[in-house]
Amino acid sequence: MGGAAGQSGFASQIQEVGPRDGFQIIERFIPTEIKLETIDLLVKAGLSKIQITSFVSPKAVPQMSDAAEVTRVCLERYPDSLLFALVPNLRGARGAVEAGLREVAVVLSLSESHNKANVGKSVAESVEETKRIRETFPDLRIAQDIATAFGCPFEGKMELPPLMELIHQLSDIGIGEFTLCDTVGTAHPTQVKTVFETVGAAFPGAVFNVHIHDTRNMGMLNTYIAMKHGAKGLQSSAGGLGGCPFAPGASGNTATEDLVYMLREEGFDTGVDFGRLLDAARFLKRHVQGNYSGHHIMIEEQE
Ligand code: ZN
């Protein structure tokens, strides 16, 4: 595999976020064993970087109340995998560190209204929170998730200058990795290209990842465009499960198996076994009732 179409090596990295982004919107509690079995299949398919859970208030997101248990088991089982969790604040970061994680994604939103709905703070307060996390855990690897980086369910299209300003502020407090999230799937290819080109040129030492929701059927294209313009981590979700409980109308992420299929056909060796990954997505669909946007699992249904 790899190089079939004459493409050079795969410079990006697929980051599976299904066990967090996919599961968080499922209302009915998914038994911890099902979560662990899903993660196991994803690891066996060759996904080396996985967002396994989030450390959030169990009152706000009861689905993630087993975060410490999921983390403990995964760290024990997969010492060689890059496992990380989403956290909204210092309290969450502390939970993640105490559970043994060495990397977190800290989330804030570019738009004030979504940040308020999602984490209950102003954007400035969230930047302060990231700073506290940075200072409290100097050895913790932090990627800053910037939700609604392209568009907001309440404020519409987001512009580049405030995004640049936010990245600037975060860089000043020592953050060097950013995940630009199209939380509600409104981004379009030219916008994605412009954003990645601009931030890449302005912050040459920083790492930028992409996280796209497929709400308007542009997930795959936008992810591909981001990759072509420097995105390192390509975040996606097995089965295309996903959404934001605090973003009305948000639907699933770009499906990991669809993304892996496309990249394989384009000649990139992602290190992921498409067949085994499809099995993982099928397992998920059998055991967790949800809104799946993945195309390969739909083909399966028709056959
Ligand atoms: Zn998401």
Side-chain angles (χ1 to χ4, degrees):
M1 241 184 355
Q7 298 273 18
S8 56
F10 182 57
S12 296
Q13 172 192 49
I14 294 179
Q15 301 182 357
E16 169 66 39
V17 298
R20 194 277 305 173
D21 209 337
F23 289 169
Q24 72 180 8
I25 41 139
I26 308 289
E27 228 156 274
R28 200 158 139 200
F29 188 76
I30 303 162
T32 306
E33 311 86 75
I34 296 293
K35 290 173 180 156
L36 291 170
E37 181 67 28
T38 305
I39 293 168
D40 192 61
L41 293 169
L42 295 170
V43 170
K44 285 177 176 152
L47 287 158
S48 54
K49 181 148 188 170
I50 305 179
Q51 193 172 91
I52 53 174
T53 187
S54 63
F55 286 81
V56 291
S57 153
K59 251 201 258 159
V61 191
Q63 186 61 261
M64 296 285 124
S65 59
D66 57 358
E69 172 68 1
V70 168
T71 301
R72 188 187 62 75
V73 174
C74 288
L75 284 172
E76 203 174 280
R77 285 186 186 165
Y78 319 113
D80 299 328
S81 298
L82 301 165
L83 307 174
F84 68 119
L86 186 96
V87 304
N89 49 33
L90 180 60
R91 189 199 184 107
R94 184 163 282 127
V97 169
E98 281 170 0
L101 287 174
R102 294 208 296 262
E103 176 173 354
V104 293
V106 182
V107 62
L108 58 67
S109 308
L110 177 59
S111 83
E112 288 290 344
S113 45
H114 186 264
N115 202 58
K116 198 96 205 159
N118 202 33
V119 297
K121 289 187 171 72
S122 71
V123 177
E125 286 167 343
S126 278
V127 172
E128 276 305 306
E129 194 74 18
T130 297
K131 190 174 175 213
R132 272 193 284 276
I133 297 170
R134 178 70 294 160
E135 289 168 354
T136 309
F137 303 108
D139 298 328
L140 185 65
R141 183 170 167 176
I142 297 175
Q144 179 77 59
D145 272 21
I146 302 181
T148 65
F150 303 88
C152 168
F154 313 113
E155 295 177 30
K157 189 173 177 180
M158 301 307 284
E159 302 297 335
L160 248 172
L163 176 64
M164 300 291 281
E165 173 55 30
L166 181 58
I167 295 171
H168 205 90
Q169 288 173 18
L170 291 159
S171 298
D172 282 348
I173 59 169
I175 302 300
E177 182 170 354
F178 305 90
T179 302
L180 306 183
C181 307
D182 184 19
T183 311
V184 284
T186 56
H188 58 90
T190 308
Q191 184 189 16
V192 172
K193 173 177 179 283
T194 305
V195 166
F196 274 87
E197 273 179 355
T198 310
V199 297
F203 304 95
V207 170
F208 291 96
N209 308 315
V210 69
H211 175 113
I212 300 272
H213 283 260
D214 198 29
T215 318
R216 288 167 185 79
N217 202 22
M218 294 192 283
M220 187 78 79
L221 183 54
N222 285 335
T223 303
Y224 191 73
I225 296 286
M227 181 188 87
K228 284 288 184 181
H229 292 90
K232 174 80 165 63
L234 312 179
Q235 296 195 343
S236 57
S237 173
L241 198 58
C244 173
F246 309 106
S251 72
N253 292 73
T254 310
T256 312
E257 65 278 9
D258 294 353
L259 181 63
V260 165
Y261 176 85
M262 176 185 69
L263 292 172
R264 185 189 71 175
E265 295 305 298
E266 286 293 310
F268 295 104
D269 185 0
T270 60
V272 182
D273 183 319
F274 171 71
R276 295 188 80 162
L277 179 56
L278 189 54
D279 285 344
R282 285 182 189 132
F283 171 87
L284 194 56
K285 196 159 181 253
R286 263 203 312 278
H287 290 90
V288 177
Q289 251 196 355
N291 221 344
Y292 292 86
S293 64
H295 287 261
H296 282 90
I297 50 177
M298 285 192 239
I299 297 169
E300 169 93 345
E301 267 178 353
Q302 288 161 7
E303 278 168 356

